[in-house]
Amino acid sequence: MLLVGDGDFSLAVAMVRLAGGDGSRLVATSYDYAEDVRDKYKQAESNIRALEKAGASVLHGVDGRRLHRKKELRGELFDRIVFFFPHSGQQRVHVNRLLLSEFFSSAARVLAPGGEVHVALKTFAPYIHWNAPGAAAAAGLDLVVQHPLASLQLREHGYIHRTTDPNAVKFRSVDSMLYVFAKSAAAEAAAASSKKRRAATSTSTEIAAILDAAGGTLFPVALSAEARPIKRRKLLP
Ligand SMILES: C[S@@+](CC[C@H](N)C(=O)[O-])C[C@H]1O[C@@H](n2cnc3c(N)ncnc32)[C@H](O)[C@@H]1O
């Protein structure tokens, strides 16, 4: 599983906990450079340590629009690519639409056959105008299913939603949706297996969708760890 655009890595920690503690199949990434992550979020350091202890790979300076160009990902393909609450840091619809479009295009290039891209987004304006399903479709990814994201389980396991600017106004992640996309040819099969997963699991639907139905494990990925510094950006709320 490739986790894109984590904030303080609490989402990655929660996913590893929910998967039983083994993070060896997870690559958790932040867009920010390592130094910025630690400066912005005081929990980041301990979350990163916990992830490394669990065997996860942590990478910084990973641009979701250029996943296919990231040399540390070594051309690997991923069964799950997950981006919770993508946000450029600018409150401009067209900028965030472009981020989504470029993310989907890049994700489609590093998605394993039969794999899924999972994106969580708020369900109110202006986020709803970003048109994630439209952006995904343009990249050849069909919407398979969408789940209201209660994220209670994730929160119980330590996930705290982080804003791009740590001082920005907080929001309730319950007013959110998890969208699941798959490559057009695989979309139908993924939709069928998603229905089975929902029937078979006792975990919340969004976690069932993200984790492997076979055993609640994270999907296999390559392990690598090297930071690529990115320029500090001035962030708007
Ligand atoms: C609203 S925050 C959500 C953080 C985290 N995913 C969460 O759920 O708490 C948006 C995140 O998108 C990241 N981001 C912005 N532009 C990005 C890009 N081009 N590639 C990857 N991540 C990006 C920001 O650094 C920030 O961590």
Side-chain angles (χ1 to χ4, degrees), residues 6-86:
D6 211 342
D8 65 353
F9 289 92
S10 62
L11 179 59
V13 167
M15 285 186 176
V16 168
R17 286 183 184 147
L18 278 159
D22 179 8
S24 61
R25 292 167 174 185
L26 173 69
V27 176
T29 73
S30 67
Y31 183 49
D32 290 317
Y33 180 55
E35 219 179 274
D36 293 337
V37 171
R38 288 171 170 89
D39 283 355
K40 281 166 72 171
Y41 311 109
K42 65 177 183 336
Q43 292 301 325
E45 182 77 52
S46 60
N47 287 338
I48 290 168
R49 271 203 305 272
L51 286 171
E52 287 171 346
K53 203 168 159 204
S57 178
V58 176
L59 288 174
H60 302 288
V62 176
D63 188 337
R65 301 165 299 181
R66 310 272 182 272
L67 298 170
H68 56 289
R69 296 249 177 99
K70 186 72 179 170
K71 77 171 165 25
E72 290 84 353
L73 297 178
R74 294 194 202 113
E76 281 297 318
L77 298 179
F78 298 90
D79 291 294
R80 291 286 182 280
I81 301 172
V82 178
F83 197 170
F84 264 39
F85 305 108

